């Protein structure tokens, strides 16, 4: 699979304009942001065979010891859900070989047994995010769905409470994702490649026999075993971000097991992980320049970052340059330009509360001497670890394994130079990601070509300015997924459109999952209005967004 259409190159950057001397106004800070047909009966169990998977000739017969296991449901640590441990084969292509892995699963039982329709399975984004607690959030947000479905989820193999992949420790990951990746000196580039190779060596040393089996293909077979153990012939599914790829892959390998499916904020699965991630710097830059900077300029009277988008950008660049010359020590955390870029790119996933949070953070970093102690402490904690070591261990395992990567050092030096020059917010850090996959052990994971064959209508959603899963990719996904309907959220760029208090989106999703109501054609919903400073408590954005793809 290769992309036939690429995200267009971003327009040239606006020229910096001088900004006036700024004063500071503080918002309260507290960390808050981390990233068909009528219903079929959900009874009986099933065994995944080659005919189900779309991979003829592969031995997919599941040993009886997996299919006959009983899930020992106990209260989860959070108390709102039930949890259990599920044994899965290390390698679904050879399920009789190797030691078992454990996948931790959770469920929220339907609150109205008389209205119960079956199972609604959720999955987490990332890859690397934990899905275990998600049913509680959805049940609280959408009581009608909670009444009609057993809402279930899981920690994907490699993640959280499941058999966990271990790579570099947190200090090594911190060192890799701090500094200034706009530095294109030979020494800086050599350091990036050296740290990438060291990261891979750590993964091989601590998780080597597990690494080949951390793939989307293996995960979807875990999902189908879970379906079987729940006694469900078919499932409904909701997945955001990376979980759109997981869901599309599941639907491709097990089309007869899908009753209804919602894919929200779509990874472009028509190409490879490499082509998808090469497109991301453009969409992050677009969101930053076309949505956040105009909003910041509109509220110059609050944040004092410049009266025009060009002035607001110049203000950001001056702060970044100052951090390059003299990293700021804030409440014990040393802050570099890369951490500022990470803070900004994470904050723009959702305008509310991300935009006010980022604007407040900029004022703190600009003049920390006058900032309240609580604001500095919150921001320092949020910026201390740009990437969580556990998250990136699974992220790279899946992304580097699933699809092939170019292994040419010269290619990545040239590609990252263009990305740094044209789309610097994320592009400057792109070499940190590609260098790891360029050094990763070669993978034999099967390629999954999503077609939509044999599926009921699938409902897809995407914002036009989504920074992480760009709209152009969602359109390609929609064309590839036969029979799907695409709801375009216009005039905004929030990542994850359902459970975001958008009444139009929520009505479509709940109508589809509860009643099978499908729009007769592709349609639109207007994005939520952008936040107004002071109308809700602000918060310094944390850096481990659960939907994050980078």
């Amino acid at each position: 699979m290769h992309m036939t259409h690429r995200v267009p190159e971003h327009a040239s950057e606006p020229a910096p304009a001088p900004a006036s001397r700024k004063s500071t106004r503080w918002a309260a800070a507290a960390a808050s942001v981390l990233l068909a047909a009528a219903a079929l009966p959900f009874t009986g169990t099933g065994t995944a065979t080659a005919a189900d998977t779309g991979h003829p000739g592969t031995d997919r017969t599941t040993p009886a010891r997996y299919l006959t296991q009983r899930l020992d449901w106990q209260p989860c640590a959070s108390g709102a859900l039930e949890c259990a441990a599920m044994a899965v084969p290390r390698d679904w292509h050879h399920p009789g070989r190797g030691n078992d892995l454990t996948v931790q699963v959770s469920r929220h039982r339907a609150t109205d047994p008389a209205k119960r329709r079956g199972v609604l399975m959720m999955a987490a984004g990332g890859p690397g995010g934990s899905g275990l607690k998600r049913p509680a959030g959805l049940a609280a947000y959408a009581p009608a769905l909670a009444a009609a479905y057993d809402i279930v989820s899981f920690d994907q193999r490699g993640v959280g409470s499941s058999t966990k992949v271990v790579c570099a420790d947190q200090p090594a990951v911190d060192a890799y994702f701090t500094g200034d990746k706009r530095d294109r000196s030979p020494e800086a580039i050599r350091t990036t490649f050296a740290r990438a190779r060291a990261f891979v060596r750590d993964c091989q040393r601590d998780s080597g026999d597990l690494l080949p089996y951390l793939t989307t293909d293996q995960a979807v077979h875990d999902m189908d075993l879970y379906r079987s153990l729940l006694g469900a012939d078919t499932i409904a599914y909701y997945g955001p971000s990376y979980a759109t790829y997981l869901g599309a892959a599941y639907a491709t390998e097990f089309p007869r097991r899908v009753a209804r499916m919602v894919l929200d904020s779509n990874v472009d699965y028509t190409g490879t992980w490499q082509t998808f991630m090469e497109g991301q710097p453009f969409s992050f830059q677009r969101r930053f320049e076309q949505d956040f900077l105009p909003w910041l300029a509109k509220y110059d009277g609050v944040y004092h970052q410049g009266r025009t988008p060009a002035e607001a950008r110049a203000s950001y660049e001056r702060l970044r340059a100052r951090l390059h010359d003299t990293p700021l020590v804030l409440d014990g955390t040393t802050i570099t330009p890369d951490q500022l870029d990470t803070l900004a790119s994470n904050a723009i996933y959702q305008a509310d509360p991300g935009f006010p949070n980022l604007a407040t953070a900029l004022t703190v970093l600009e003049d920390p001497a006058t900032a309240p102690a609580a604001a500095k402490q919150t921001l320092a904690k949020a910026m201390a670890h740009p990437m969580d070591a556990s998250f990136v261990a699974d992220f790279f395992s899946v992304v580097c394994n699933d699809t092939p990567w170019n292994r040419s050092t010269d290619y990545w030096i040239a590609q990252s130079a263009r990305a740094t020059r044209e789309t610097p917010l994320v592009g400057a850090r792109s070499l940190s990601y590609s260098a790891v996959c360029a050094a990763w052990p070669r993978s034999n994971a099967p390629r999954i070509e999503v077609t939509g064959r044999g599926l009921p209508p699938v409902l897809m959603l995407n914002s036009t300015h989504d920074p992480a899963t760009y709209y152009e990719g969602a359109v390609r996904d929609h064309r590839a997924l036969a029979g799907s309907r695409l709801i375009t959220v216009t005039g905004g760029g929030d990542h994850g459109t359902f459970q975001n208090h958008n009444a139009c989106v929520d009505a479509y999703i709940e109508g589809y999952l509860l009643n099978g109501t499908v729009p007769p054609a592709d349609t639109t919903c207007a994005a939520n209005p952008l936040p107004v400073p002071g109308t809700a408590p602000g918060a310094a954005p944390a850096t481990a967004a659960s939907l994050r793809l980078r």
Side-chain angles (χ1 to χ4, degrees):
M1 297 183 296
H2 295 284
M3 277 191 182
T4 55
H5 302 84
R6 301 300 301 275
V7 176
E9 293 185 356
H10 190 62
S12 59
E13 303 175 37
S20 60
R21 182 184 178 96
K22 303 170 186 67
S23 59
T24 311
R25 180 176 298 180
W26 310 109
S32 66
V33 179
L34 274 183
L35 290 191
L40 299 173
F42 288 57
T43 58
T45 60
T47 301
T49 66
D52 295 303
T53 66
H55 293 291
T58 302
D59 179 10
R60 293 292 192 157
T61 303
T62 305
R65 64 191 178 91
Y66 297 110
L67 290 168
T68 57
Q69 66 181 302
R70 300 184 68 84
L71 297 176
D72 182 18
W73 294 106
Q74 301 292 333
C76 297
S78 64
L81 304 171
E82 295 177 301
C83 286
M86 179 176 72
V88 301
R90 180 172 295 258
D91 181 5
W92 277 99
H93 296 274
H94 303 95
R97 302 180 191 172
N99 296 327
D100 291 350
L101 305 182
T102 297
V103 171
Q104 196 76 7
V105 298
S106 64
R107 72 177 175 185
H108 182 283
R109 286 182 176 272
T111 58
D112 189 342
K115 295 181 179 179
R116 183 181 180 275
R117 290 182 173 276
V119 171
L120 171 58
M121 186 175 290
M122 305 177 68
S130 170
L132 208 61
K133 297 179 181 179
R134 294 188 175 219
L138 179 57
Y141 184 87
L145 294 180
Y149 286 101
D150 289 344
I151 305 175
V152 306
S153 191
F154 55 95
D155 275 354
Q156 188 169 329
R157 55 169 62 199
V159 173
S161 300
S162 297
T163 300
K164 192 172 181 178
V165 62
V166 178
C167 289
D169 61 18
Q170 192 62 55
V173 171
D174 289 344
Y176 192 45
F177 288 100
T178 56
D180 189 350
K181 297 301 188 295
R182 289 194 199 177
D183 181 354
R184 302 294 303 174
S185 67
E187 180 181 1
I189 291 172
R190 282 195 299 270
T191 297
T192 295
F193 279 107
R195 286 177 170 167
R197 290 190 294 269
F199 180 90
V200 175
R201 285 196 300 270
D202 288 343
C203 295
Q204 292 175 304
R205 180 194 66 219
D206 295 331
S207 303
D209 62 343
L210 176 63
L211 295 183
Y213 311 112
L214 299 178
T215 68
T216 298
D217 170 70
Q218 297 282 353
V220 300
H221 288 84
D222 296 343
M223 292 164 60
D224 199 61
L225 176 62
Y226 187 23
R227 171 204 58 77
S228 176
L229 297 179
L230 289 168
D233 278 346
T234 60
I235 59 169
Y237 178 86
Y238 169 74
S241 196
Y242 162 68
T244 61
Y245 178 35
L246 197 63
Y250 179 85
T252 297
E253 299 207 37
F254 299 97
R256 292 180 294 181
R257 304 305 186 190
V258 177
R260 294 168 186 172
M261 178 165 282
V262 178
L263 305 178
D264 184 353
S265 304
N266 293 264
V267 170
D268 186 355
Y269 43 72
T270 65
T272 64
W273 276 112
Q274 176 181 321
T275 55
F276 170 70
M277 290 178 67
E278 285 180 331
Q280 277 192 319
F282 164 81
S283 52
F284 274 95
Q285 200 73 31
R286 172 172 61 190
R287 173 69 157 163
F288 184 68
E289 293 186 351
Q290 297 185 22
D291 293 349
F292 174 68
L293 291 179
W295 178 90
L296 186 60
K298 179 179 179 179
Y299 295 107
D300 179 59
V302 178
Y303 301 110
H304 308 287
Q305 298 293 307
R307 293 183 296 274
T308 67
E311 288 181 356
R313 176 169 181 154
S315 180
Y316 182 90
E317 290 297 324
R318 280 195 299 274
L319 173 59
R320 194 185 188 284
R322 195 156 66 242
L323 294 174
H324 172 87
D325 294 339
T326 308
L328 173 66
V329 178
L330 187 69
D331 203 53
T333 296
T334 300
I335 297 172
T336 65
D338 285 348
Q339 284 153 289
L340 176 65
D341 290 343
T342 300
L343 184 80
S345 55
N346 287 340
I348 60 178
Y349 271 72
Q350 290 192 324
D352 188 6
F355 285 12
N357 292 348
L358 177 55
T360 299
L362 294 175
T363 62
V364 173
L365 295 173
E366 184 179 61
D367 192 7
T370 62
K376 289 189 287 187
Q377 291 168 1
T378 300
L379 186 57
K381 182 178 180 181
M383 299 182 76
H385 305 299
M387 297 290 285
D388 177 74
S390 296
F391 180 94
V392 297
D394 187 74
F395 175 88
F396 282 119
S397 297
V398 175
V399 167
C400 300
N401 273 331
D402 268 357
T403 55
W405 283 77
N406 190 313
R407 294 173 177 270
S408 166
T409 299
D410 290 342
Y411 174 86
W412 288 117
I413 291 174
Q415 192 276 342
S416 60
R418 288 192 299 272
T420 301
R421 181 175 62 254
E422 298 169 2
T423 53
L425 182 65
V426 167
R429 290 170 286 145
S430 62
L431 187 61
S432 301
Y433 297 88
S434 54
V436 171
C437 288
W440 199 261
R442 293 186 184 274
S443 171
N444 294 318
R447 304 296 296 277
I448 302 170
E449 182 181 357
V450 175
T451 64
R453 287 193 294 267
L455 291 174
V458 172
L459 207 56
M460 304 175 66
L461 306 99
N462 225 93
S463 297
T464 52
H465 279 189
D466 188 318
T469 54
Y470 40 85
Y471 183 70
E472 295 84 351
V475 171
R476 288 191 283 271
D477 289 344
H478 173 43
R479 291 171 182 161
L481 193 57
S484 61
R485 300 286 191 274
L486 176 61
I487 300 174
T488 299
V489 182
T490 60
D494 282 356
H495 179 72
T497 61
F498 181 48
Q499 302 182 80
N500 197 27
H501 302 285
N502 184 310
C504 176
V505 168
D506 292 353
Y508 275 119
I509 300 310
E510 295 195 39
Y512 169 68
L513 290 175
L514 291 172
N515 305 311
T517 305
V518 179
D522 295 346
T523 188
T524 63
C525 285
N528 291 334
L530 292 179
V532 176
T535 58
T543 58
S546 59
L547 301 181
R548 152 171 77 197
L549 282 153
R550 302 170 322 291

